């Protein structure tokens, strides 16, 4: 084949440069955030755009957790400064009054909700899809058409009725109304059904029946392990989707039950407006877990997106 | 044979019902009941006090007897605030979707181009997709901090490069006053929200489009190459038509998602400045769940949005599908005509 000409090489260079700019654009806001999380509030006030990490990570973290510094003072009650003109901290005092942002509590709550949602959504959606693929019954076609219809209903449409229902059964400020509805996840049923139709052989089920296996046993011990790749892909997206959801948790959860995205709004509060270092630290802590998970699983996530299964 | 099969099937049919039961029950309780409740509450005088008061369990419907059945629907529909929210939602979606689609298509075409053979495609995919996985709320907060006034990295950058003398309140300022003679101005905040959406979603769209292009039969591209078609012509006449289903899917999902946009406007500016970033979902939230608890207004607004989303989605599906069917029909007719002519020719020879 002919060698790429000079024109192709120039356009290739141009494309690489553009792609690098886009890649930098993807990371830049987070980079600024992580750097500022390590810088002191006075440093940020002086210049909030910096790429040189500071040495105030611990101080910002304590500020964020509601600890107030007690500065070291000399005999004349003047605050002592170190060689970098920073106040020397003598001790920390805990003043949590009015502070609602606690990333660890948010992390724990989000973890409980998201894990619950993943388990229920994946198990019952696969079960529903299996019912549709493995058995012949009267309303099977109708139910599937119905599931496709449910897929189109936006969640925010029934929010008011849902809120009323939750109040009526006294489950407001509980994780249950966030977890249980995951049993009916039409999108995952659809995905699992497509996967089963493409890759599951019914002969296997029949062979299990001949061996005397009960239907539930067949599903739990034979079908589910076979579905592992599909389950894993869907589990990642369901987990992230649940982790990031804001609308419903914001309406239902109060106080120490708040999930991470609900917690985030408290960073806008007055307490954090004045301590910018702590604000950046709080934001960084909400984003860091997702960063780690993403760069560990990015291969699977990209492959999952390419399958087209996941786009809001 | 028929009888034998029938007995066998009947014995397993019950498992179909048993295995589907959890889904159906969860749907009835958590989705259908709330849906019916929401739908009907829009026709009532029920407001927060009745619903959240002591007798929540006995919440009684008070139908709009003294006024039109659709009172709350027309009330919402005619309210300036809802109209503003509706305009904002559409505007922000357009501002994000068009550049998102253009960039995603361009990148997908370049990354799959057989002549360029670009490297590091996997790396770029990972980088471009990354913002999508991060909590939208965190991103909104982060951007509102980045554009902060008077202290914020963007403000500092503008001053450092000499583009601005002193700190400017970027988030409150107008981006384009009365564009193209419209009475409403375009605000910086609206543009920034559209940018965040664009920035979070172009990677996803690109990955889906790349998968779509990889799925096109290579013979089509070979045929185009043999015909001497340029890359741009191949893209317009081969790639784009083959991607129609995927483009439709992307368009509809983006539209439905965009019409329900909540997290970013809520945590970015919460509707400010001057309701420029108030979206319909934020309107519904504010009506129902902030101070007033006007559930009937919120319910009416969500019904209106649902109807609007349905109409547009169905129209989009119809327009795109109709063209396909029409094309098929035309082709079939042409084939039939060719066959008829061939037969006529044959008969003439005989």
């Amino acid at each position: 084949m002919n060698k790429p000409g000079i024109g192709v090489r120039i356009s290739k260079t141009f494309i690489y440069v553009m792609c690098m700019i886009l890649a930098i654009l993807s990371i830049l806001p987070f980079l600024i955030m992580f750097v500022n999380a390590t810088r002191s509030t006075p440093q940020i006030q002086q210049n909030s755009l910096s790429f040189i990490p500071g040495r105030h990570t611990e101080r910002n973290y304590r500020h964020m957790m509601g600890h107030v510094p007690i500065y070291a003072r000399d005999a004349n009650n003047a605050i002592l400064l170190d060689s970098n003109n920073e106040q020397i901290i003598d001790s920390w005092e805990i003043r949590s009054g009015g502070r609602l942002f606690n990333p660890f509590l948010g992390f724990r709550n989000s973890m409980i909700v998201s894990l619950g949602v993943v388990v229920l959504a994946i198990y019952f959606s696969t079960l529903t899809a299996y019912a549709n693929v493995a058995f012949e019954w009267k309303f099977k076609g109708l139910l599937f058409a119905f599931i496709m219809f449910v897929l189109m209903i936006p969640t925010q449409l029934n929010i008011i009725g849902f809120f009323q229902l939750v109040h009526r059964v006294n489950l407001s400020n509980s994780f249950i109304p966030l977890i249980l509805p995951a049993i009916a996840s039409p999108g995952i049923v659809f995905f699992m059904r497509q996967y089963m139709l493409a890759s599951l052989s019914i002969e296997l089920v029949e062979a299990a029946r001949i061996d005397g296996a009960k239907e539930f046993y067949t599903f739990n011990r034979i079908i589910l392990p076979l579905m592992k790749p599909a389950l894993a892909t869907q589990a990642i997206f369901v987990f992230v989707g649940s982790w990031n959801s804001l609308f419903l948790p914001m309406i239902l959860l109060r106080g120490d039950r708040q999930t991470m995205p609900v917690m985030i709004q408290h960073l806008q509060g007055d307490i954090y407006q004045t301590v910018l270092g702590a604000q950046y630290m709080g934001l960084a802590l909400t984003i860091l877990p997702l960063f780690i998970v993403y760069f560990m699983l990015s291969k699977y996530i990209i492959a999952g997106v390419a399958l087209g299964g996941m786009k809001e | 044979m028929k009888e034998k099969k029938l007995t066998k099937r009947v014995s397993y049919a019950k498992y179909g019902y048993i295995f589907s039961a959890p889904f159906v029950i969860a749907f009835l309780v958590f989705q259908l009941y709330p849906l019916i409740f929401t739908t009907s509450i829009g026709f009532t005088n029920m407001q927060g006090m009745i619903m959240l008061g002591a007798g929540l369990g006995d919440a009684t419907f008070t139908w709009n007897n003294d006024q039109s059945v659709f009172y709350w629907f027309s009330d919402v529909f005619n309210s300036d605030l809802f109209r503003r929210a509706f305009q904002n939602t559409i505007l922000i979606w357009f501002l994000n979707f068009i550049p998102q689609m253009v960039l995603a298509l361009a990148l997908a075409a370049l990354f799959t181009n057989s002549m360029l053979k670009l490297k590091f495609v996997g790396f770029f995919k990972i980088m471009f997709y990354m913002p999508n996985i991060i909590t939208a709320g965190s991103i909104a907060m982060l951007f509102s901090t980045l554009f902060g006034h008077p202290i914020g990295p963007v403000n500092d950058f503008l001053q450092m490069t000499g583009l601005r003398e002193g700190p400017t309140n970027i988030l409150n300022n107008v981006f384009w006053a009365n564009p193209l003679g419209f009475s409403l101005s375009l605000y910086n905040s609206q543009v920034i929200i559209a940018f965040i959406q664009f920035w979070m979603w172009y990677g996803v769209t690109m990955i889906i489009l790349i998968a779509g292009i990889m799925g096109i039969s290579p013979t089509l591209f070979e045929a185009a190459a043999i015909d001497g078609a340029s890359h741009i012509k191949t893209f317009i006449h081969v790639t784009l038509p083959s991607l129609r289903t995927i483009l439709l899917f992307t368009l509809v999902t983006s539209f439905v998602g965009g019409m329900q946009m909540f997290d970013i406007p809520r945590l970015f500016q919460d509707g400010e400045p001057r309701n420029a970033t108030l979206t319909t979902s934020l309107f519904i939230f504010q009506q129902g769940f902030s101070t007033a608890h006007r559930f009937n207004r919120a319910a009416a607004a969500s019904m209106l949005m649902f109807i609007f989303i349905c109409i547009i989605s169905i129209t989009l599906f119809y327009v795109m599908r109709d063209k396909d069917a029409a094309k098929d029909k035309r082709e079939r007719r042409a084939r039939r005509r060719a066959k008829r002519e061939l037969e006529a020719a044959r008969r003439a020879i005989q």
Side-chain angles (χ1 to χ4, degrees):
Chain A
M1 279 297 224
N2 52 345
K3 263 190 181 172
I6 183 91
V8 172
R9 256 180 291 160
I10 290 173
S11 52
K12 265 177 102 164
T13 316
F14 177 73
I15 293 163
Y16 281 128
V17 170
M18 293 312 285
C19 285
M20 271 323 287
I21 291 172
L22 285 173
I24 291 168
L25 195 65
S26 281
I27 204 94
L28 189 65
F30 303 111
L31 189 67
I32 296 172
M33 173 192 72
F34 283 126
V35 170
N36 276 347
T38 66
R39 301 169 75 222
S40 72
T41 303
Q43 279 176 336
I44 298 169
Q45 277 166 344
Q46 235 166 47
N47 176 18
S48 54
L49 182 65
S50 169
F51 299 102
I52 306 148
R55 290 174 296 132
H56 290 81
T57 316
E58 198 205 334
R59 200 180 281 204
N60 286 339
Y61 174 77
R62 281 175 183 258
H63 269 303
M64 183 202 72
M65 296 301 287
H67 296 220
V68 180
I70 309 291
Y71 296 115
R73 287 161 194 272
D74 63 9
N76 300 323
N77 211 20
I79 293 172
L80 288 171
L81 300 174
D82 64 11
S83 55
N84 291 327
N85 253 2
E86 296 284 347
Q87 299 111 322
I88 297 170
I89 290 167
D90 188 37
S91 64
W92 292 89
E93 191 189 324
I94 301 174
R95 276 189 221 156
S96 53
R99 197 183 62 91
L100 289 156
F101 181 78
N102 184 340
F104 299 99
L105 202 60
F107 188 87
R108 194 202 67 160
N109 294 341
S110 282
M111 206 50 131
I112 295 171
V113 172
S114 302
L115 284 180
V117 165
V118 166
V119 170
L120 291 190
I122 297 292
Y123 184 81
F124 286 105
S125 300
T126 316
L127 193 68
T128 314
Y130 183 68
N132 215 284
V133 173
F135 307 112
E136 290 301 325
W137 45 293
K138 206 174 168 188
F139 299 112
K140 134 181 170 159
L142 187 73
L143 183 73
F144 186 68
F146 181 68
I147 288 171
M148 291 307 295
F149 173 71
V150 175
L151 199 58
M152 310 251 275
I153 304 174
T155 40
Q156 278 159 36
L157 182 64
N158 51 31
I159 203 88
I160 287 149
F162 188 74
F163 183 70
Q164 188 266 355
L165 172 75
V166 169
H167 257 277
R168 182 173 278 191
V169 293
N170 274 329
L171 278 176
S172 46
N173 209 16
S174 150
F175 295 143
I176 295 169
L178 294 174
I179 298 174
L180 270 189
I183 293 173
S185 311
I188 310 166
V189 176
F190 178 73
F191 182 88
M192 291 302 175
R193 182 179 175 271
Q194 300 306 96
Y195 189 87
M196 280 182 192
L197 286 177
S199 64
L200 195 73
S201 70
I202 283 302
E203 285 85 30
L204 200 74
V205 180
E206 277 160 7
R209 274 177 199 156
I210 290 164
D211 289 349
K214 293 266 167 17
E215 294 303 313
F216 268 103
Y217 182 92
T218 311
F219 176 73
N220 287 330
R221 293 299 170 85
I222 299 170
I223 306 301
L224 275 186
L226 278 175
M227 297 281 293
K228 253 182 201 161
L231 299 181
T233 311
Q234 284 299 298
I236 297 173
F237 288 108
V238 173
F239 187 90
V240 171
S242 163
W243 184 278
N244 287 343
S245 74
L246 177 70
F247 200 99
L248 208 54
M250 184 183 251
I251 287 164
L252 293 176
L253 302 175
R254 300 273 172 275
D256 60 0
R257 288 290 175 94
Q258 295 173 77
T259 55
M260 195 72 116
V262 187
M263 286 263 176
I264 294 165
Q265 59 181 325
H266 300 306
L267 283 173
Q268 268 172 333
D270 297 334
I271 312 165
Y272 294 101
Q273 282 303 323
T274 46
V275 271
L276 287 167
Q279 198 185 8
Y280 278 108
M281 175 56 88
L283 266 177
L285 280 182
T286 68
I287 289 174
L288 193 64
L290 284 165
F291 244 75
I292 295 169
V293 170
Y294 180 65
F295 284 110
M296 270 164 51
L297 299 175
S298 58
K299 217 176 87 187
Y300 304 98
I301 293 173
I302 302 285
V305 178
L307 272 176
M310 245 27 226
K311 200 187 177 213
E312 255 191 291
Chain B
M1 180 210 148
K2 198 185 169 192
E3 276 158 317
K4 205 178 169 190
K5 264 255 163 88
L6 204 68
T7 49
K8 213 177 172 188
R9 273 185 189 166
V10 165
S11 64
Y12 289 113
K14 69 171 185 195
Y15 288 104
Y17 295 100
I18 295 171
F19 282 21
S20 305
F23 181 97
V24 174
I25 292 167
F27 170 77
L28 291 178
V29 175
F30 298 116
Q31 291 193 41
L32 189 68
Y33 167 74
L35 191 69
I36 293 169
F37 194 92
T38 311
T39 314
S40 47
I41 206 175
F43 297 102
T44 69
N45 273 324
M46 190 181 283
Q47 295 206 359
M49 287 311 154
I50 305 164
M51 237 177 91
L52 295 179
L56 185 88
D58 338 302
T60 45
F61 285 104
T62 319
W63 300 99
N64 293 331
N65 287 331
D66 46 339
Q67 54 225 354
S68 143
V69 183
F70 295 104
Y71 178 79
W72 293 108
F73 287 86
S74 61
D75 181 57
V76 167
F77 191 75
N78 291 322
S79 91
D80 287 339
L81 201 59
F82 179 76
R83 293 196 164 193
R84 185 73 215 267
F86 185 70
Q87 283 170 341
N88 291 338
T89 312
I90 304 246
L91 176 75
I92 293 172
W93 179 72
F94 259 109
L95 283 180
N96 120 66
F97 184 73
I98 292 166
Q100 178 194 323
M101 208 47 178
V102 170
L103 183 65
L105 269 173
L107 288 171
L110 292 173
F111 284 163
T112 52
N113 190 306
S114 57
M115 205 173 93
L116 288 168
K117 286 199 191 71
L118 292 174
K119 284 174 200 149
F120 316 115
V121 173
F123 166 76
F124 288 131
K125 273 186 192 171
I126 290 175
M127 294 307 288
F128 298 169
Y129 180 78
M130 196 259 293
N132 192 267
I133 206 108
I134 310 294
T135 315
S138 291
I139 288 182
M141 273 289 291
L142 175 59
F143 272 79
S144 112
T145 314
L146 293 181
F147 284 93
H149 169 81
I151 303 152
V154 176
N155 247 317
D156 283 0
F157 176 77
L158 291 176
Q159 285 169 69
M160 236 160 33
T161 50
L163 291 166
R164 288 277 188 284
E165 290 287 312
T168 44
N169 198 340
I170 302 165
L171 294 179
N172 277 347
N173 286 351
V174 169
F175 182 80
W176 187 2
N178 306 341
L180 312 171
F182 280 101
S183 57
L184 283 171
S185 300
L186 187 61
Y187 282 83
N188 280 336
S189 294
Q190 294 174 321
V191 178
I192 295 167
I193 289 182
F195 171 79
I196 298 174
Q197 291 275 19
F198 156 82
W199 177 73
M200 283 181 79
W201 286 99
Y202 80 90
V204 182
T205 311
M206 180 196 81
I207 292 170
I208 291 174
L209 290 177
I210 289 177
I213 294 175
M214 306 283 258
I216 299 171
S217 159
T219 48
L220 279 176
F221 291 115
E222 280 161 22
I226 290 166
D227 289 349
S230 69
H231 283 288
I232 293 167
K233 273 200 168 159
T234 312
F235 181 74
I236 293 171
H237 296 291
V238 179
T239 315
L240 275 187
S242 310
L243 287 178
R244 174 180 280 163
T245 325
I246 292 174
L247 290 174
L248 174 66
F249 168 75
T250 313
L251 175 65
V252 172
T253 46
S254 167
F255 175 76
V256 175
M259 290 304 108
Q260 298 183 70
M261 183 171 40
F262 174 78
D263 300 17
I264 294 173
R266 160 81 186 162
L267 285 178
F268 184 62
Q269 291 278 288
D270 202 11
E272 293 300 309
R274 293 162 170 264
N275 296 323
T277 61
L278 184 78
T279 59
T280 45
S281 285
L282 200 50
F283 174 86
I284 293 164
F285 174 80
Q286 286 181 355
Q287 291 294 321
F289 301 100
S290 57
T291 44
H293 285 307
R294 302 163 84 171
F295 287 111
N296 45 7
R297 277 191 107 207
S302 32
M303 278 306 288
L304 285 175
M305 276 318 283
F306 178 57
I307 294 165
F308 174 72
I309 292 171
C310 276
I311 291 171
I312 299 292
S313 301
I314 291 167
T315 311
L316 285 173
F317 272 117
Y318 180 78
V319 168
M320 304 286 257
R321 183 182 288 169
D322 196 35
K323 270 185 203 157
D324 250 334
K327 207 171 138 199
D328 274 7
K329 216 186 261 172
R330 232 181 296 136
E331 270 170 19
R332 241 177 289 140
R333 217 177 290 149
R335 230 175 290 140
R336 231 177 290 144
R337 201 190 308 132
K339 216 175 172 186
R340 236 181 287 134
E341 277 165 16
L342 199 73
E343 266 167 33
R346 233 182 252 150
R347 245 177 273 134
I349 291 167
Q350 281 170 359

